[in-house]
Amino acid sequence: MKTLLKRGLIVSCQALKNEPLYGGSTIPKMAVAAKMGGAVGIRANTVRDINAIYRYIDGSLPIIGLIKQVYEGTPVYITPTLKEVKALIRSKCDFIALDATARPRHNGEKLADLVAYIRDNSEKAIVADIATYEEAEEAERLGFDYISSTMRSYTAETEGIQIPDIEFLKKLQSGIRKAKIIAEGGIHSYEALSQVLDTGIDHIVIGGAITRPQEITKNYVQVFENNMTFKMNA
């Protein structure tokens, strides 16, 4: 039986190799903190972190799992091939997130084939990370359980679009009927979160604003520097 996401906040607990929180028990502990704060789910990258988070929280929250893997010749890096899909099926995640954009995948693999493989070999629910409304429609046609705005502004077609794109989220919420909508991307303030919630979407992923201290610090430092520059020029 598929796990369902409760309405509420999903916290993305991730760190890449070039980031200070990568490795050790930092990310699982971050997931524990998110749980204590009231998160209803965790989004996590790599089998190692997924399984560690599962142990640290005793399987008490659903985990959206993905594997970021870069392959030459394709911009798709979120669970891009069958290799990553198989690894996630064996992991402790409850959901598998896939890049569901229209961009070509490594070795010509097809999104529809990856979805079919998950359906045939797992009870895990599937999340489509999309950038455009057309991609959302295709994801719904393919039978994804959830559709997330994760890739909005991160593809060539949507580059430069300010996120969260409230009008886009409204369109997803009103136009997509079978899959549940997840809002993700660019939510860095309470005001932005309130605007997203006003669309009627009640599954929200927040990552960097909670779990990337170097980025949070950088944003505050920028405000500090802008303020000092203003005072010097006044």
Side-chain angles (χ1 to χ4, degrees), residues 10-14 41-44 64 66 78 97 129 150 184 205:
I10 301 148
V11 177
S12 183
C13 298
Q14 301 182 39
I42 303 294
R43 182 171 163 115
I64 299 174
L66 60 128
I78 296 178
D129 290 346
T150 312
E184 179 176 4
V205 173

Side-chain angles (χ1 to χ4, degrees), residues 132-139 157 168 171:
T132 69
Y133 188 75
E134 292 72 25
E135 291 163 354
E137 290 182 311
E138 177 64 8
E157 187 176 358
F168 176 67
K171 187 174 182 179

Side-chain angles (χ1 to χ4, degrees), residues 152-172:
R152 187 73 171 172
S153 90
Y154 292 101
T155 63
E157 187 176 358
T158 62
E159 185 178 1
I161 292 176
Q162 185 175 352
I163 54 174
D165 186 340
I166 300 302
E167 293 306 313
F168 176 67
L169 294 174
K170 288 179 180 177
K171 187 174 182 179
L172 288 178

Side-chain angles (χ1 to χ4, degrees), residues 73-88:
T74 173
V76 175
Y77 63 89
I78 296 178
T79 318
T81 75
L82 185 59
K83 177 183 177 181
E84 290 78 40
V85 165
K86 288 180 176 179
L88 289 172

Side-chain angles (χ1 to χ4, degrees), residues 14-185:
Q14 301 182 39
L16 300 177
K17 288 184 178 180
N18 63 336
E19 295 179 326
L21 300 189
Y22 180 82
S25 61
T26 303
I27 294 301
K29 288 180 178 178
M30 189 91 69
V32 174
K35 177 190 172 183
M36 292 175 66
V40 301
I42 303 294
R43 182 171 163 115
N45 172 40
T46 75
V47 169
R48 182 191 63 187
D49 280 353
I50 289 166
N51 291 346
I53 289 169
Y54 181 88
R55 292 193 302 271
Y56 268 69
I57 63 175
D58 296 321
S60 57
L61 291 181
I63 300 172
I64 299 174
L66 60 128
I67 296 176
K68 291 181 178 178
Q69 180 63 54
V70 175
Y71 288 100
E72 186 176 354
T74 173
V76 175
Y77 63 89
I78 296 178
T79 318
T81 75
L82 185 59
K83 177 183 177 181
E84 290 78 40
V85 165
K86 288 180 176 179
L88 289 172
I89 287 175
R90 295 190 297 268
S91 80
K92 291 293 188 179
C93 71
D94 304 278
F95 303 79
I96 294 177
L98 300 164
D99 180 311
T101 64
R103 302 175 297 178
R105 309 180 87 87
H106 180 64
N107 280 343
E109 292 197 27
K110 303 297 182 185
L111 181 63
D113 294 336
L114 299 183
V115 172
Y117 187 89
I118 296 170
R119 292 287 184 237
D120 291 342
N121 295 276
S122 171
E123 291 295 318
K124 298 178 190 287
I126 317 177
V127 179
D129 290 346
I130 57 90
T132 69
Y133 188 75
E134 292 72 25
E135 291 163 354
E137 290 182 311
E138 177 64 8
E140 184 173 46
R141 187 189 70 79
L142 291 175
F144 277 85
D145 302 288
Y146 294 84
I147 294 174
S148 177
S149 59
T150 312
M151 299 305 296
R152 187 73 171 172
S153 90
Y154 292 101
T155 63
E157 187 176 358
T158 62
E159 185 178 1
I161 292 176
Q162 185 175 352
I163 54 174
D165 186 340
I166 300 302
E167 293 306 313
F168 176 67
L169 294 174
K170 288 179 180 177
K171 187 174 182 179
L172 288 178
Q173 180 68 357
S174 63
I176 300 299
R177 297 299 183 184
K178 296 177 182 177
K180 290 181 171 57
I181 303 301
I182 299 173
E184 179 176 4

